Amino acid sequence: MNSDELKQRDLKVLWHPCTQMKDHETLPMIPIRRGEGVWLEDFEGNRYIDAISSWWVNLFGHANPKINAAVKAQLDELEHVLLAGFSHEPIIQLSEQLVAITPPGLTRAFYADNGSSAVEVALKMSYHYWLNSGQPEKKQFVCLSNSYHGETLGTLAVGDVALYKETYEPLLMKSIVVPGPDCYQREDDETCREVAIRQFEHMEKILAEQGDQIAAVIVEPLVQCAGNMRMYDPVYLELLRAACDRYNVHLIADEIAVGFGRTGTMFACEQADISPDFMCLSKGLTGGYLPLSVVMTHEHIYDAFYDDYENLTAFLHSHSYTGNPLACSAALATLQIFTNENVIKSNQKLIEKMADSTRHLEAHPHVSEVRQTGMILAIEMVKDKATKTAFDWRERRGIRVYQHALSQGALLRPLGNVIYFMPPYIITEAQIETLASIATEGIEIATKT
Ligand code: PMP
């Protein structure tokens, strides 16, 4: 099959996600023929290191033999069955294992089939819990500035990235956006911990004033990924957990992007030693194979819905592909790799390598920060380093790095002017080195005049 022909056919019938389609008049779209390990290969035989894990989903490489085998075996047994009134072994096993590995108290698993849907479930469940518990006035949601929880109307409403939200603002429910703990905003002599403690005062104030009308606070623990990979200190989560308890407000941890080892621990909440009331998981849950998401919650939340049918307290939410067995088999194989290969520990070397190979960029005149939390490393390009003045977004300098990287065999899709690595965990130290030099050259090219 010829690549040019595929591109032409694609452009006649497809409308791609998160894309100004007119860009494809000048920017190449790349049909991919096959994937193997960190590599994606196009129809001309060019190979690209998937440095962003295909939108942060892939954990153990493309066409991973173990996950492939698990999905193939499941395919011959049961491809799908509805989850209302029916069940299947992969989902029971997966739920047992998720209860065992997520923070204490998260004993119930409610499934959906993508990240946004999981967030919608958590928001609805939180509100509904308070309703069932005789507190219908608790119906507000609090989120952090620069937060992102998906792109359905409900999740946009609890997000704060203008690029995605602003257009649809008139359609959205109102939520309370509180200035967040992003460490990029620190003063010269401040630590990330100090920023987090200082910024928490905003949250404390809102919870103290309006806690009786608030159902839940939703956060992305430690890294606001879609919000340009901004990072914050775990102390914020500790303070938030304590305040949510004090003001009787739920805490929703959206670990859709940061779960499954991305921040260095299996779940980001572990670094603050907290357990949220709801934990949303997706992306890495299936190792990047198939769409699946889950909301983990506590027994007392579950109990508030458990009653005679006539009392109409049930959580009547569903998606057709909820808990798909093929996706569950991929998830089980993924969890097995974590255990068998002691992944969290062995990632430590990769984490150090990512830091070492990019450290020199801190001195670059157009890099304001190289920041890292575990397996996520981000490099922020700016016009003026001293004042952290951003480049005009219309200059689209990140795209220049992207194009250079493609020409050198790496997929480094940026977030605005932020270049980041969020690679599959099977990446080698040599491949990290390669990525770092491609990124360095790309930044050099992108920041010249
Ligand atoms: N929450 C977070 C923190 C995310 O990063 C994302 C996806 N980037 C979502 C929710 C939405 O997930 P999905 O794209 O599967 O709807």
Side-chain angles (χ1 to χ4, degrees), residues 55-57 113-119 148-152 155 219-220 223-226 254-258 280 282-283 292-293:
W55 267 346
W56 324 337
V57 298
D113 49 20
N114 63 74
S116 304
S117 300
V119 172
Y148 175 97
H149 298 287
E151 285 165 48
T152 57
T155 59
V219 296
E220 296 154 272
V223 188
Q224 296 185 312
C225 294
D254 174 353
E255 293 225 15
I256 288 163
V258 296
C280 303
S282 187
K283 292 192 186 274
L292 183 70
S293 63

Side-chain angles (χ1 to χ4, degrees), residues 390-444:
F391 281 117
D392 188 328
W393 62 270
R394 281 166 292 220
E395 293 169 8
R396 305 184 75 186
R397 292 184 186 251
I399 296 290
R400 300 185 205 174
V401 181
Y402 173 66
Q403 282 180 296
H404 174 74
L406 284 178
S407 76
Q408 301 301 306
L411 196 185
L412 279 172
R413 191 184 156 98
L415 287 157
N417 291 324
V418 173
I419 309 304
Y420 67 93
F421 305 160
M422 196 158 164
Y425 306 156
I426 43 105
I427 195 166
T428 63
E429 293 188 42
Q431 287 163 342
I432 291 174
E433 197 71 62
T434 304
L435 278 184
S437 57
I438 293 173
T440 305
E441 289 159 14
I443 289 167
E444 200 53 54

